[in-house]
Amino acid sequence: MASEPVNVNEFQELAKQVLPKMYYDFYTGGAEDQFTLKENVEAFRRIILRPRVLVDVSRIDMSTTVLGYKISAPIMIAPTSMHQLAHPEGEVATARAAAASNTIMVFKRRDISAQIVQRAEKNGYKAIVLTVDAPRLGRREADIKNKMISPHLKNFEGLISTELDSDEGSNLEAFVRAVYDDSMCWEDVIGWLKSITNLPILVKGILTHEDARKAVKVGVAGIVVSNHGARQLDYTPATISVLEEVVQAVGGKVPVLFDGGIRRGTDVFKALALGAQAVLVGRPVIYGLAANGENGVRKVMKMLKDELELTMALSGCPSVKDITRSHVRTECERLRSQL
């Protein structure tokens, strides 16, 4: 009898055992050389913790607020797609395991995007997350080799055909070429979204201080620092390496959330110390879903919360607000100290 996973990383192997190779490669793969894919995780290992001792940590409070809503811990599920490839219950199982985020892409036909936004608002969603780093699909070579077949997407039933064939590469790539709008610009898309919904709009896919300032200027409610799980443009920086740049550019005007490479509670702690209000977890949730459905997702989230609680206790931080910039030392700081 196989032993139970003791950390989030071990769910990936369980997912590999149960998923068809095409789907496993779809979830795990990155763009082109996959440099950024590796860096998203490796960059965390170059950040060192600076704990404080002799602090009363008999009670640890991990709760925080995001957009005015209180959550039990600063760990959320990232907007990810096609959960039904991992488990028959798909996003339904994921949503039952945690409050689900909602994400949209803006399509060439704005009426389709508008219907999806209005459907989300009607069904009680609290925010819209606009993914802004995918005007076109990144070159995901595993999907091309596997001739990745996208499933029928229930969200688009009656709105758009997702049954597109492609002689070259994946039909997912053909779908994106056919329907995604690669002409959208800052003022155009944010202004249009604001005109059709009263929900707060967050933008996901910001990596630079220049874009962070533009996002604030056009009136977004929040920013998600993300490189799309390293699935779009390879050789972009690891998200943890640019988090502080974005936080400083925003200057507290809107919340900054973090996405990319979270595998341990120590990773969550490091992101919070560098200014994130909360983190988003993507691939580990999918791996948990593939391994054991709703219960797998629950276990992944519980593991990360338990690890964060222990990290906070051992670092002398009884609450999230006690986690400060001085609790971490980045690689740049370490190198400067050696000069």
Side-chain angles (χ1 to χ4, degrees):
M1 185 174 175
S3 60
E4 283 285 308
V6 296
N7 60 59
V8 165
N9 288 310
E10 293 181 0
F11 276 95
Q12 183 170 349
E13 182 56 36
L14 295 179
K16 187 175 184 179
Q17 292 170 15
V18 299
L19 287 175
K21 182 179 184 299
M22 176 186 290
Y23 295 164
Y24 177 78
D25 288 350
F26 169 73
Y27 288 130
T28 59
E32 297 185 350
D33 298 328
Q34 303 190 128
F35 169 83
T36 300
L37 181 68
K38 300 180 186 76
E39 271 293 289
N40 267 359
V41 174
E42 289 296 322
F44 274 103
R45 299 178 182 178
R46 298 192 290 269
I47 299 172
I48 304 302
L49 301 180
R50 301 180 69 248
R52 308 294 190 273
V53 298
L54 292 179
V55 177
D56 181 359
V57 290
S58 57
R59 293 184 180 180
I60 299 294
D61 180 9
M62 295 188 292
S63 66
T64 189
T65 58
V66 175
L67 297 176
Y69 294 94
K70 189 169 184 178
I71 54 177
S72 62
I75 306 172
M76 303 162 65
I77 292 178
T80 48
S81 64
M82 302 188 194
H83 290 209
Q84 279 192 305
L85 300 183
H87 189 273
E89 293 186 334
E91 284 83 355
V92 174
T94 305
R96 282 200 302 257
S101 299
N102 188 38
T103 184
I104 70 164
M105 306 282 189
V106 175
F107 298 96
K108 287 181 179 177
R109 283 181 54 192
R110 291 286 175 94
D111 60 317
I112 293 172
S113 298
Q115 286 185 56
I116 294 170
V117 168
Q118 288 155 7
R119 187 187 299 169
E121 193 164 9
K122 183 180 178 182
N123 283 282
Y125 284 92
K126 304 303 183 187
I128 296 293
V129 180
L130 174 67
T131 300
V132 294
D133 58 1
R136 301 184 185 185
L137 194 71
R139 184 175 174 81
R140 305 167 191 178
E141 294 177 358
D143 291 348
I144 296 171
K145 286 180 180 178
N146 291 332
K147 291 190 177 293
M148 171 66 190
I149 300 171
S150 171
H152 186 65
L153 303 175
K154 288 186 177 295
N155 271 350
F156 304 129
E157 282 182 353
L159 297 177
I160 194 169
S161 172
T162 60
E163 307 295 331
L164 293 174
D165 296 320
S166 174
D167 295 329
E168 300 177 6
S170 68
N171 82 328
L172 178 63
E173 190 174 16
F175 170 72
V176 170
R177 280 200 306 267
V179 301
Y180 281 13
D181 184 358
D182 58 5
S183 69
M184 66 179 185
C185 302
W186 279 107
E187 291 79 5
D188 166 47
V189 71
I190 302 300
W192 173 74
L193 274 175
K194 283 184 170 185
S195 74
I196 64 169
T197 181
N198 293 318
L199 292 176
I201 299 163
L202 294 84
V203 289
K204 175 176 173 284
I206 302 298
L207 292 173
T208 64
H209 65 84
E210 292 95 339
D211 278 345
R213 291 192 181 97
K214 283 181 182 176
V216 172
K217 184 178 179 181
V218 297
V220 303
I223 286 172
V224 182
V225 177
S226 173
N227 55 27
H228 211 108
R231 293 160 69 80
Q232 282 298 98
L233 179 63
D234 201 12
Y235 296 97
T236 56
T239 43
I240 193 64
S241 70
V242 297
L243 171 59
E244 196 167 25
E245 174 185 334
V246 172
V247 168
Q248 290 174 352
V250 168
K253 294 183 180 72
V254 298
V256 176
L257 308 181
F258 174 84
D259 169 58
I262 296 287
R263 299 294 183 272
R264 286 282 189 181
T266 49
D267 297 338
V268 180
F269 185 94
K270 291 171 184 178
L272 297 176
L274 291 170
Q277 189 164 343
V279 305
L280 307 180
V281 182
R283 285 185 176 92
V285 166
I286 295 292
Y287 300 148
L289 181 66
N292 197 21
E294 178 186 344
N295 285 334
V297 177
R298 288 182 184 273
K299 287 179 181 178
V300 165
M301 298 302 282
K302 186 177 187 303
M303 281 181 177
L304 289 172
K305 288 180 180 180
D306 288 349
E307 288 183 8
L308 174 61
E309 183 179 25
L310 181 59
T311 301
M312 289 172 64
L314 295 177
S315 299
C317 297
S319 70
V320 170
K321 65 179 174 53
D322 294 312
I323 303 172
T324 67
R325 179 61 177 82
S326 66
H327 282 95
V328 294
R329 191 184 196 194
T330 63
E331 184 181 31
C332 288
E333 290 171 318
R334 182 179 60 80
L335 293 173
R336 275 200 299 267
S337 71
Q338 295 174 354
L339 294 177

